[in-house]
Amino acid sequence: MEAAPPARKHPEDDIRTAARLRRLPPLLALLLGLWGAGRGGSMWRDESVTWQVAHRPLGGLVELLGQVDAVHGLYYLLLHGVFLAADALPGTGAAAGPDPSPAGLWLLRLPSVAATALAAAGVAAVGRRLAGERAGLLAGAVYAVLPPVQMYAQEGRSYALVAAAVVWATYLMLRERWAAYAVVLLLGCWLHPFAVLALPAHAVTARRSPGWRRSAAAVVVLLLPLARLGARQVEQQLGWLGRPGWADWAAYAVVAAAMWLLTRGKAVPRELVRVAVPLALLPPGLLIAVSLVHPLYVDRYVLYALTGLALAAGARLAAVHRWRAAVPWLLVAAVLVPFGWWSVWLRTPESRKDDALAVAAAVRERARPGDAVLFLPARRREWLLSSPAVYRGLWDLALDRSPAASASLWGTELPSAGIRARLVDDAPRVIALMDPAGQPLDPYPREAVKRQTLVSHYDLCSVDPVHGARIAVWARSGGCP
């Protein structure tokens, strides 16, 4: 009796297997995003701004955007809608309330988690189109595990959403779906205008296409209103920035070297190289170059450039056939060890510059009825504005008009003479919130008056470091315990 011939694998089985595997990159990104998204109950200063702005009434939010932070306006409106929707659902009112709760922190970061999963799916789709199924799968997975991607997947800011928009615009460019390309990239630009730096990267691939040129022109024209408004606000928005330092140049050099190593030789398709290399190097490179004259560079503003690195890494790993070349995979294993440690650390409060909720809790412990609070500098009011229950119990001694009344992020303060008069005459005990030791002191007259009057008219009772801040208690002579 003859043996039965082996069963042939039907092509539809391959299709179903591929379809299931395509879910892995977004699923990995989603799981990494949800893992430890509460970050130990912490919230750093930029997220504090998002929280308090998104909780303003719609009219007040729109009025604010006319004065400052217009570049984040669409994102704030999105978060405003998220909190309103959560507030309308039974049992979720506490999560959307004005004081941050553990559920509220998850809600704050959930759009970024979802956007990162969407971006990972997009990276996989781009890699699949340019270098095949395996390369796409690996590129999407690499993107999901990159530590900066994990970091901003758990941040209540717009950068993960911008990355998702740029990734899918890149995919639509490859498909020559020009109307959809323009809409998606414009959405990314309205979430943050520096998404427009993806256009020079895309030009390397698509500049000869009339459809791309028309779409790129449409994006630039429709971004102009936001760009003009943002340009008027840039000094108060980014006045704190300095020119790129050695760490910025070193990071850029590392990425450039990695791209050269990953794309050299014939193993990686040239079509992918023409997309990945410009996307990885042009947006940050251009922003760094501009920042030599007018400082604008922060790496998170071009987070989407990591798409190019992920595409190159995925294609290079896919070129290792039948596991014969063990060296690339040994290198991957060696990289994953520090990546694993970094991933754990990113989910702790210490991974961010400061912790507004820790500062608010420390103020609550020290505050007595009738205490005044003083912010040095004034912008550190952001530490308490997201915790209104704590802030309302203190007298904001220097405040002239509240953030809501002044359509500003931190409110407006009294002139120097008014601040001094209140300190001298009306405040027996002051809780001062200050930057960590070693930070440069603001030279402005109001800030100088605060420091000088505290020293000349008060005794320093205590000063304690709290993550990214110092809390000092000052009292009139004999008022310290």
Side-chain angles (χ1 to χ4, degrees), residues 254-264 273 276-278 280-281 308-310 312-313:
V254 167
V255 172
M259 292 301 295
W260 178 76
L261 289 170
L262 290 169
T263 58
R264 61 197 293 262
V273 172
V277 172
L281 300 182
L309 181 62

Side-chain angles (χ1 to χ4, degrees), residues 360-372 390 393-394 429 431 471 473:
V363 169
R364 185 188 295 111
E365 292 175 0
R366 291 160 176 76
R368 299 175 184 173
D371 278 355
V390 176
L394 298 163
R429 192 169 181 269
I431 297 176
I471 301 178
V473 178

Side-chain angles (χ1 to χ4, degrees), residues 209-375:
S209 167
W212 180 82
R213 291 197 294 268
R214 287 192 296 268
S215 297
V219 169
V220 171
V221 169
L222 294 174
L223 179 60
L224 281 176
L226 178 61
R228 292 180 62 186
L229 182 56
R232 292 202 298 268
Q233 300 174 355
V234 71
E235 286 304 323
Q236 56 179 322
Q237 189 85 32
L238 297 176
W240 55 275
L241 274 176
R243 288 179 174 80
W246 70 267
D248 300 313
W249 289 105
Y252 185 75
V254 167
V255 172
M259 292 301 295
W260 178 76
L261 289 170
L262 290 169
T263 58
R264 61 197 293 262
K266 299 180 180 179
V268 177
R270 295 300 94 185
E271 293 82 359
L272 184 138
V273 172
R274 282 194 292 271
V275 172
V277 172
L279 197 52
L281 300 182
L282 279 181
L286 290 170
L287 195 56
I288 288 174
V290 170
S291 297
L292 294 175
V293 179
H294 193 105
L296 295 172
Y297 180 76
V298 181
D299 57 359
R300 60 181 177 267
Y301 295 167
V302 286
L303 177 70
Y304 58 84
L306 291 175
T307 300
L309 181 62
L311 287 169
R316 172 61 67 178
L317 291 172
V320 181
H321 294 294
R322 300 179 184 175
W323 313 95
R324 287 179 300 183
V327 173
W329 293 102
L330 290 174
L331 290 174
V332 169
V335 167
L336 285 177
V337 172
F339 271 25
W341 175 86
W342 198 350
S343 296
V344 172
W345 178 74
L346 285 172
R347 288 154 177 84
T348 66
E350 290 72 28
S351 63
R352 299 325 195 257
K353 289 182 180 178
D354 58 11
D355 183 356
L357 298 186
V359 172
V363 169
R364 185 188 295 111
E365 292 175 0
R366 291 160 176 76
R368 299 175 184 173
D371 278 355
V373 64
L374 195 63
F375 301 94

Side-chain angles (χ1 to χ4, degrees), residues 39-125:
R39 218 164 56 230
S42 65
M43 179 170 68
W44 82 291
R45 67 181 72 157
D46 279 15
E47 291 183 303
S48 175
V49 171
T50 298
W51 181 275
Q52 58 99 358
V53 169
H55 279 86
R56 293 192 187 189
L58 184 59
L61 200 165
V62 172
E63 188 180 4
L64 167 75
L65 299 179
Q67 304 298 321
V68 68
D69 243 7
V71 295
H72 296 297
L74 182 59
Y75 177 71
Y76 290 150
L77 290 169
L78 170 65
L79 265 291
H80 181 81
V82 168
F83 287 126
L84 279 182
D87 194 42
L89 294 174
T92 59
D99 282 282
S101 64
L105 294 177
W106 278 69
L107 192 61
L108 172 69
R109 294 161 188 156
L110 196 57
S112 293
V113 173
T116 302
L118 187 63
V123 172

Side-chain angles (χ1 to χ4, degrees), residues 358-360 362-363 366 431-434 462-466 469-473:
V359 172
V363 169
R366 291 160 176 76
I431 297 176
L433 304 188
M434 305 177 294
S462 65
V463 57
D464 300 297
V466 177
R470 287 181 297 158
I471 301 178
V473 178

